[in-house]
Amino acid sequence: MGKAAKRKKKASTSSKAKGSAEPTIAMVKSNPFEVKVNRQKFNILGRKTKNDVGLPGVSRSKAIKKRTQTLLKEYKEKEKTNVFRDKRFGEYNTKISPEEKMIKRFTLERQQNYGKKNIYNLNEDEELTHFGQSLAEIEKLNDVIDSDSDTDERGALSAELTAAHFGGGGGLLRKKASTEQEDEEEEKPKSRKELIEELIAKSKQEKQERQSRRESALELTEKLDNDWKEIQTLMARKPPKSERKDKEAEKPKPDEYDMIVRELGFEMKAKPSERMKTEEELAKEEEARLQKLEADRLRRMRGIGEQENKKKPSHVSADDLTDGFILDKDDRRLLSYKDGKMNIENVEEEEDKEEEEDKEEEEEQEEEEGEKEDNENEEGEEESATEDEEDVASDNHSDLESDLESEEEAAGNKEQKKHKANENESQNVEELDPKMEAAKSELPYTFAVPESYEKFKSLLAGRTVEQQLTILERIQKCNHPSLAVGNKTKLEKLFGFILEYIGELATLDLPELKTIDKLILPLYNLCQMFPEAASGNIKFVLRDAAHEMEEVIEVKGRATFPGLGTLIYLKITSLLFPTSDFWHPVVTPAFIYMSQLLTKCRITTLQDVIKGLFICSLLLEYVSLSKRFVPELINFLLGVLHISLPKKQAQGYTVVHPFTPVGKNLELLLVCDKKDLESWKKQNLPLSVVTRLKELSKTEINHIRLSCLALCFDLIKRCAVLYESLPSFYEIMHPIRVLLTQRVSVSEYPEQMQEWYHGALKELENKTKHYTPLICEKKKPVPLKQYTPKIVKVLEFGRKQGGSKKEQERKRLIHKHKREFKGAVREIRKDNQFLARMQLSEIMERFSQKEKSERASW
Amino acid sequence: MARPALAASLEAVLGDRGNANRVFEILELLAAKEEEDVLCAARTCRRLFAALLRRGELFAGSLPAEEDALRGNYSAEEKYKIWMRHRYNDCVESLSELLGHDSFQVKESSLCTLMKFVELEAECPLVAEQWKGSIAFPRHLLKVVVNGLIPIHEDASLLISRFQEYMEYEDVRYFVMKVVTESIGQVMQKIKERPLPFYQQNVFSLISPINMPNKERDMVKFMMKQDNREEWKVSKLQAHKQAFERMWLTFLKHQLPSGLYKKVLVILHDSILPYMNEPTLMIDFLTVAYGVGGAISLLALNGLFILIHQHNLEYPDFYKKLYSLLDPSIYHVKYRARFFHLADLFLSSSHLPAYLVAAFIKRLSRLALTAPPEALLMVIPFICNLFRRHPACKVLMHRPNGPQDLSEDPYIMEQEEPSESRALESSLWELQSLQNHYHPDVAQAAAILNQSLSEIEDDISGLLELSASELFDKEIKKTSANVPLEFEQVRGLFGKKNDIIAEHFALD
C-alpha cells in the first residue's frame, strides 16, 4: 500500500515536472513532502554542504525524461536500418569556408532551376531598385550630401504641391494671381493636363534651386572656416597661454632672455661637495677594500660548508617566545660538540689572522713603495695627462664624446683608476723615448673592434709591442660599453682574440714571451670588465686542450705534454682568477686538467720533464694560499727524483704511473760529467728551451738538467712547508724522504746543489710527528617524543592529508575511479529497469488490444 | 692474361677425360709469380675440383700410391680416378702453401677454396664408409687449413678473422678445436717450453672468439648435411665442451708472453670457464697467475673468484694474498674498476674478522694518498661501505678515549700479515688529509669522516668506471652565475707576488 501510494505521488510529481520545470521546482522545494533532508551527524565548521537537501521526485522525473529521450528512442529504432542522409552540398566538408559553401549551393540551385522554370524568363538580369532608382547607380553616386533640411524636404511635399493636390482649384488660382508670368498667361485657359505638367516643372525647378542654394551655402561655410583659421593665427600670437595649446601653429622663437631665465632656474645649485681625499685616506680606503676582498676570498676558499652553517635553520622550540632573545648558541654548540676540533680550528683561525696581518703588512709595505713610485712618477703622470689632453684636442673629438669619456672615467671604479695609473706608468716609461713618441703619433686614435681574428692579427701585424698595447688600449677606450649598445659583445670578442693571439705567439718557433708578458695587462683589464665572457673563453681553451689530449690517449694509448701555449694559458688562468676558491668555474677544471697532465703524459724527453716541472710549480702556486693537497704533484716530484738517479731497483718507495720503476726513459736527469757538474750555476730555466732544446750543446743540456733538479728540490721544500699541517704529512712525504736520505749520493753534487738538497731535506725532517685519534662529530641526539601537539597546516578541508604529492594523486584517482564505477553500475541498472518497464507496458498494451479485438469478434 | 687459357683448359678437362692432362696447366699457375694469375688459378681449381667432386670422379677410400695404381690391376676408370685424386691432393698441397703467401688476397682466396673443398668433401666424402651411416668429416683437409692459419713466425690475425665465419658451423668448430689441440701439442713439444709469441698469438686469436653454444638445442648449423645426426658425437654438447676444455688446457699449459697472459685472463671468467666441463682444472693456471704479481694477479682474481664462489675452491691465505696485492699502482692501472668490483665482493662477507677489514681500510686509504681524483671519488665511498658492513672497524673513524698525542701511526704498512699490521689501533688520518684535496668533490667526500655514517650503503657501481676526462667534462659544464675574479693587480706573466715560476723560469 505504502509503496503504491509513493509511486502515485511520484507519478504526479513527474507529470508536474514535465510541464514547467522552474516554477515546479520552486514549488516542490517549498513542499516538505517532496524534500529529503540528509541529516548530518556532526556539524563541522567550515565545511560546505552541497547535498544536505535532496529532491528525489524531481531528480527521478528528470532521469525518466532523459531516458525516454535517449534510451527509449534507441530501443525503438533498435532493428531499423533506415538512415537519414544529409545531401546538402558540402555540409560535412570542413575545408570549404561557409561563404564559399553558400555560393556553391546558390549556383547549384540556380543550375537546377535554370533548365526547367526559367525558360520563359526573358528578363535575365533583373535590376534591383530602391525608390525607383537602380541600386547600382546609387552605389556609383559618391557625393551624397545629407543634411537635415534635405530629408525634411524629401519627406514632406511642398506646400504648393499639397495645395494643388488637395486644395482643389482655388489654390492654383491664388497662385496664378501672385505670379506675374502667370498673369500674362492667364488669358489662355489651361487644361488640366497642362496644369499638372506645369506643376511638375515647377517642383523640379524648385528642387534645382534648393540644390544650388545649398551648394553655395556650403561653399560659404568653407570659406568662412578658412578665413577664421587665418584670423585665428593672427589672434593667437598675442596671448602667451594659447602658445602651448595650439600645436599646429608655428612656434614663435623663444625670447633669449626667457631662455636664460629658465636655464638659470634649472641649473644645479652649488652643493657642498665631498672634500678631496688625502693620500692617506685613499690608501686606507684601498686597504679596507683589499681587506674586504681578501675576506671574501677566504670565505670562498673554505667552500660551501660555511655557507651551509649559516643557512642552517635554527631549531625553534615550542616554548620559544620569539622575542628575538637568543643565547650565544654557536659558542655553546662548538664547546659541546667539537672538543678536540675546536682547538684546532681556533688555532687555524689565529694562524689565518696572523697570515692576514702579515699580508696586510706586506701590502702596506708595497703600497708605501707604490706611493713612493707614484711620487717619483708624478711628473711623468702630469706629462701624460697633458699629453692626453692634447690627444683629445688634436683628434677633433666632439664635445659629446669627450663628455662621455669623462663619464666613463667617473663611472669606472677606483680599481680601474688604479689600473689606469698603472697604464700611465707603463706609458711613461714608453713616452720617455722620443722615437716611440713619434711612432705613436702615427697611429690613428680611434679603432673599431676587429670583427674576426684575422682582422685583429692584421691590425697588430708589423707593430712594436708598445704600439700593439696602445692599439689595444685605444680599442678599449673607443668602444667602451657605455658608448654604444653593441660594444660589450665586441669587447668580449676582443678578449678571445687576445687569448688566441697569445696562444699563437707562444707556439712560434721562437716564442715571443716578452710580448705575451705585456699583453697580460689588457687581458686582465678586459677580464675585470667582462668576467663571464672571459671565463667562457678560457674554459673553451681548456676544454679544447683536454679533449685533444683525450683523443690522443684514445688513438695512441698515451698522451704527450701540450705545447707552450697551453702552459701559458694555465698560467694566465691563475693570474685572472682566484685559485684558492673551494670551487671555481674556471680554476677547478684547470686543476683537473693539470692533474691529468701529470698522471697521463709520458715522460720521454728532457722537455717533458721541464714542462712537467712547470706544471708542478704552477700547481704549487695555485694552492699556495689554500694549501690544498695535490697527490699528483708529490708523485711527479718523486718520479723526477727517481729519473735523476742511476738505474737501480727502486727500494723503499714506489713510483706511480707516468714513471716506471724499470724500463726506458730512466736517467733522464742523470749527470755524470764532472766538469759540467762543477761549472754549473743555478740559472732560471728559459721557457723557450721547451722548443729548442736540440740546438744546445751537451754541457748546456747538462746544466739544464741540474737546474731542473734544483727546481725539484725547491719544489719539494715548498711542498713540505705547505703540507706541514696535514695530519698524514709524514706518510705523504715518506717516499721522497726515503729517496733523499738513502739513495741520493749528495757528495757528488756541486756545492750549490747540496744547499738546495739540504734545504729540502731540512724541511722534510724537521717536523715533529703528531697524531691525535680521530673523533667523529657527535650525532645530534634524537629528541625525545614530546607532548606538544603536532601542528599540521591544513590547506583544504575534506582532502586526505599525508603522503607525497604522487601518493595523494594516486589515492585521489583511485577514489574517483571507485565512485565513477559505482555510479556507472547504478546507471546501467536503472537503464535496465526502465527498459523492462517499457517492454512490460508494450506487452500489456498488446494483450489488451488482443483482448479488445477478440471481444469485438465475439 | 692467363684467364682465357685457364677457362679453356677447365672446359677441356671437364669435357673430355682424354684431356685430363691439361690439369697440370692449371696447377702450374698456382705457383705463378703474378698475383693475378694465382688468384685466377685458385678460382679455376675451385670450380674444377668442385665439379669433379660432385660428379664423383675422384677416387674414394684409402689411396694407393700413384705408381702402384698404374701397375696394379685397376680398371681404366679407377686408374683415372686415382690419378685425378692425386692431382687433387697436389692442388690442396699447393693451396695450403699459398696460405703463407705475401698477399692477403691470395691467402684469402686459397682459404676460401680450401674451405669450399671441405664443404664439398663433407657432402660427398672421399673416405670409404666404414660402416653404413657413419659420418666422415674431412678432418685431414681441415687440419691442413688450420695449420696454415696458425703459422709459427708471422701474425695471421687478419686471415683468422676471415676464417671466423666458418667457425659458426658446429662440426667445423668441433674439429678445429681438436686440430688446434693436436697442433699445439706437436709444435710446443718441438720447441720445448720456449714461448713462441707469434704462434701463441695466432692460436689465441683463433680460439678466443670461439662462441660456444649454451644448449644442445641451439646446435643446428652443421656443414655435414646428414639425417642421422643425433647419433653423431659431434652433435653432443658434452663432446664440444670436452674438446674446448682440452684445447684451452693444452694452450695454457705452456708459458705465455705477458701480454697474452693478460688477454687470456681478461676473457677467462667470461668466455672460457662457463664452457668447461670441469672448471676446477683451471686452478693450477690461476694459482700460478695469481702468484705472478702486479696486473696479472689482479686479473687472475676474477677467475679465482668464480672458482671459489661456484666450485668450492679452498684457497689458503686468500685474503693475505689479496692484501699484498694492494700497492700504489692499483689506483692507476687500467683494470681498476674490475679489481675494486671484485674487492667489494670479497670484502662483503660479514664473517671477516675486524682486524682484516681494518687492515684493508688502512692500506687502501694509505695508498689513496697517491691516487688521482677519479680513483679517490670511488675509494672513499668504498671505504665507507666497509665501515658500514663491519661496524667493529669504526674505531678507525671514532676513538673517543684513545691515547692522545701519538708520535707515530701505529699501523705498519710494510707488514705483510694483516693480523700484525696493528690497523685497529690506528685512525684514518689519510682521509682527514684528503679533506684538503684540491678537487672539491673529493674534499666533500672525505668530509664524511667527521660525521657518523648513515646506515644505507653507497652504490659504487657507477663510480667504478669514472675517468678523469669525465670529471673534467662534468666540471667544465657547470655554469655559475658570477665568476669571482682575482683582485690582485697583475704586472705581467710572472708578476704576481710569491711567484714560484718567476723564481725558476725566465721569459727567454
Side-chain angles (χ1 to χ4, degrees), chain A residues 290 293-294 300 304 341 419 422 513 517 520-521 524 527-528 531-532 535 539 542-543 546-547 550 568 571 574-578 581-585 588-589 591-593 595-596 600 614 617-618 620-621 628-632 635 654 656-657 682 684-688 711 714 718 726-728 731 769-777 779, chain B residues 328-329 332 366 369-374 376 396-400 402-409 414 427-430 432-440 443-444 449-452 468-469 471-473 475-476 478-494 496-508:
Chain A
L290 283 175
L293 286 171
E294 177 67 20
R300 276 184 276 127
I304 309 137
K341 274 242 151 170
H419 304 165
N422 279 331
L513 294 166
D517 190 33
I520 296 298
L521 210 64
Y524 179 80
C527 179
Q528 296 284 336
E532 279 84 22
S535 70
K539 269 162 90 172
L542 285 177
R543 187 166 51 207
H547 286 181
E550 193 60 27
I568 298 275
K571 173 71 190 164
S574 77
L575 292 175
L576 298 183
F577 301 105
D581 286 11
F582 185 72
W583 179 80
H584 190 282
T588 309
F591 258 124
I592 299 172
Y593 177 55
S595 114
Q596 274 182 306
K600 298 250 167 94
F614 183 86
S617 336
L618 210 54
L620 211 54
E621 208 179 294
R628 296 200 197 289
F629 174 45
V630 189
E632 293 86 347
N635 293 347
T654 18
V656 289
H657 180 59
K682 168 81 174 101
N684 283 0
L685 289 167
L687 277 181
S688 54
L711 168 60
D714 187 49
R718 282 169 193 271
L726 289 182
S728 45
E731 283 79 24
K769 286 194 266 180
H770 179 83
Y771 296 88
T772 330
L774 293 179
I775 293 172
C776 281
E777 280 173 18
K779 224 194 241 173
Chain B
S329 65
H332 297 267
R366 178 65 63 84
L369 289 176
T370 60
E374 62 270 18
L376 286 174
L396 289 183
M397 291 168 69
H398 182 62
R399 191 189 303 277
Q404 297 292 316
D405 289 348
L406 298 168
S407 66
E408 208 162 46
D409 190 345
E414 289 75 20
S427 279
L428 276 189
W429 291 289
E430 290 85 0
Q432 201 187 14
S433 305
L434 285 177
Q435 287 172 4
N436 280 322
H437 196 270
Y438 68 91
H439 195 290
Q444 264 170 0
L449 195 69
N450 290 346
Q451 290 129 28
S452 47
S469 57
L471 279 191
F472 181 84
D473 284 344
E475 285 301 324
I476 204 117
K478 277 186 193 170
T479 50
S480 78
N482 63 328
V483 184
L485 292 174
E486 179 63 59
F487 55 83
E488 197 185 325
Q489 173 69 36
V490 296
R491 299 196 183 82
L493 199 54
F494 290 170
K496 248 177 146 186
K497 63 182 179 194
N498 305 331
D499 199 326
I500 303 164
I501 289 184
E503 282 181 34
H504 293 284
F505 291 92
L507 275 179
D508 293 323

Side-chain angles (χ1 to χ4, degrees), chain B residues 183-402:
Chain B
S183 157
I184 297 172
Q186 286 168 3
V187 172
M188 294 315 268
Q189 193 127 50
K190 261 185 249 162
I191 298 301
K192 296 253 169 73
E193 290 311 307
R194 220 165 357 109
L196 282 170
F198 279 122
Y199 177 72
Q200 281 173 324
Q201 179 63 44
N202 286 334
V203 171
F204 180 75
S205 44
L206 179 64
I207 64 177
S208 64
I210 284 182
N211 213 349
M212 288 288 281
N214 286 318
K215 285 175 231 149
E216 206 159 299
R217 259 180 295 144
D218 295 343
M219 296 168 58
V220 284
K221 202 177 174 193
F222 285 89
M223 198 170 245
M224 297 282 285
K225 304 280 184 283
Q226 299 283 344
D227 301 328
N228 52 350
R229 204 187 287 143
E230 282 70 37
E231 293 159 28
W232 196 23
K233 197 180 164 196
V234 178
S235 64
K236 299 278 181 289
L237 183 62
Q238 194 70 15
H240 274 258
K241 278 190 169 180
Q242 201 167 9
F244 183 77
E245 184 181 290
R246 283 197 55 200
M247 173 184 72
W248 274 109
L249 287 177
T250 332
F251 178 64
L252 296 179
K253 202 163 66 184
H254 305 282
Q255 200 188 341
L256 296 172
S258 76
L260 204 55
Y261 220 138
K262 282 183 194 169
K263 280 184 191 164
V264 170
L265 287 169
V266 165
I267 63 161
L268 187 74
H269 69 285
D270 209 35
S271 47
I272 301 178
L273 281 182
Y275 303 110
M276 289 175 72
N277 271 339
E278 273 188 74
T280 34
L281 291 175
M282 277 288 179
I283 289 177
D284 286 344
F285 172 71
L286 283 171
T287 322
V288 170
Y290 196 40
V292 169
I296 290 176
S297 299
L298 292 187
L299 289 170
L301 214 51
N302 214 336
L304 270 185
F305 169 70
I306 289 177
L307 292 185
I308 292 171
H309 182 228
Q310 295 167 359
H311 302 281
N312 283 334
L313 173 67
E314 187 87 11
Y315 195 94
D317 292 337
F318 177 76
Y319 283 98
K320 187 186 163 192
K321 191 85 203 187
L322 185 65
Y323 183 69
S324 70
L325 277 185
L326 301 181
D327 69 346
S329 65
I330 56 160
Y331 291 118
H332 297 267
V333 289
K334 255 195 289 182
Y335 314 108
R336 188 186 68 212
R338 181 194 272 253
F339 174 73
F340 276 95
H341 169 72
L342 288 172
D344 196 33
L345 284 177
F346 292 139
L347 294 174
S348 60
S349 160
S350 54
H351 296 293
L352 295 177
Y355 74 86
L356 185 75
V357 180
F360 269 101
I361 290 174
K362 193 64 190 164
R363 196 167 177 110
L364 281 175
S365 50
R366 178 65 63 84
L367 296 175
L369 289 176
T370 60
E374 62 270 18
L376 286 174
L377 282 176
M378 181 269 300
V379 81
I380 293 174
F382 184 89
I383 288 173
C384 289
N385 279 353
L386 289 183
F387 277 127
R388 288 186 183 112
R389 286 172 202 161
H390 307 277
C393 297
K394 281 189 177 167
V395 283
L396 289 183
M397 291 168 69
H398 182 62
R399 191 189 303 277
N401 304 317

